């Protein structure tokens, strides 16, 4: 067992191997300077801390098991580019994309919920927050904060009992920029 204080722990790359079930306890943060991988049968369940991707390189999130974040942050570092080709969940906290960072999901679905989740793209630039599929779940209100722009390649699903608040300022947009038909699905 590894015990980590509230100051947190830093990894160059973080991999949860086949069959590994890791539950983060406490309020410590985890900083990742490289790739985060969850193999088949692996799982990561968050505590109350924040997972921060930092550093000025391109890194990836690969999930072939169960990957849930409470708070996910892409630090405000130039060239802090995070890609994802598989889906994952953010539930009960915040997904923050720093002004100089970017997130591009070429595959999979990012699921927000079932607990309240806020999406915050600090850059207000849709090219820095691109989702393949986006799904909102849970009987709660999810928020996309003011002056945010996000882009969708494929679809958005908003399940029954979900309220999605998107700020009404002139700079807030959800841009559908896929190369084929895109869907907004409301309900189960």
């Amino acid at each position: 067992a590894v015990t980590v204080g509230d100051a947190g722990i830093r990894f160059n790359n973080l991999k949860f191997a086949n069959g590994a079930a890791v539950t983060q306890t406490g309020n410590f943060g985890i900083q990742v300077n490289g790739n985060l991988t969850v193999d088949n049968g692996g799982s990561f369940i968050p505590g109350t801390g924040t997972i921060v991707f930092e550093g000025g390189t391109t890194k990836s999130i690969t999930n072939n098991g169960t990957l849930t974040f409470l708070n996910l942050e892409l630090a405000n570092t130039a060239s802090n580019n995070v890609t994802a080709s598989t889906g994952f969940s953010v539930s009960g906290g915040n997904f923050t994309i720093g002004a100089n960072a970017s997130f591009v999901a070429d595959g999979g679905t990012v699921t927000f919920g079932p607990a309240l989740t806020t999406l915050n793209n600090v850059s207000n630039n849709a090219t820095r927050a691109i989702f393949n599929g986006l799904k909102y779940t849970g009987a709660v209100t999810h928020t996309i904060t003011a002056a945010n722009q996000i882009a969708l390649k494929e679809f958005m699903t908003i399940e029954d009992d979900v309220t999605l608040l998107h700020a009404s300022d002139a700079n807030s947009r959800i841009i559908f920029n896929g190369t084929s038909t895109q869907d907004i699905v409301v309900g189960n």
Side-chain angles (χ1 to χ4, degrees):
V2 176
T3 303
V4 180
D6 286 343
I9 189 168
R10 182 180 312 264
F11 296 94
N12 285 327
N13 293 292
L14 182 57
K15 180 176 183 176
F16 301 100
N18 187 6
V22 177
T23 301
Q24 177 189 9
T25 59
N27 189 29
F28 68 89
I30 296 175
Q31 288 78 38
V32 181
N33 289 329
N35 302 322
L36 187 147
T37 304
V38 178
D39 283 344
N40 289 331
S43 68
F44 174 73
I45 307 299
T48 56
T50 299
I51 308 299
V52 179
F53 282 88
E54 52 188 29
T57 61
T58 298
K59 51 204 68 79
S60 66
I61 297 172
T62 304
N63 177 32
N64 293 305
T66 302
L67 178 58
T68 303
F69 299 99
L70 175 72
N71 294 300
L72 176 60
E73 178 183 338
L74 281 55
N76 186 20
T77 306
S79 300
N80 185 15
N81 305 313
V82 178
T83 64
S85 58
T86 54
F88 59 86
S89 297
V90 181
S91 183
N94 300 296
F95 183 0
T96 302
I97 302 168
N100 291 303
S102 70
F103 175 77
V104 177
D106 290 324
T109 300
V110 176
T111 301
F112 291 110
L116 170 71
T117 305
T118 299
L119 174 60
N120 185 17
N121 176 16
V122 177
S123 73
N124 189 28
N125 182 336
T127 63
R128 294 192 173 276
I130 301 173
F131 295 84
N132 182 63
L134 196 52
K135 182 177 183 178
Y136 290 92
T137 67
V140 295
T141 300
H142 297 280
T143 304
I144 300 174
T145 58
N148 270 264
Q149 293 186 18
I150 63 171
L152 289 169
K153 291 182 172 187
E154 294 291 331
F155 62 89
M156 175 186 281
T157 301
I158 304 169
E159 290 189 349
D160 290 339
D161 300 324
V162 167
T163 301
L164 178 61
L165 293 179
H166 189 271
S168 60
D169 66 279
N171 294 317
S172 295
R173 293 178 177 72
I174 298 174
I175 301 167
F176 289 83
N177 67 350
T179 57
S180 61
T181 302
Q182 294 179 265
D183 296 315
I184 300 175
V185 179
V186 178
N188 289 334

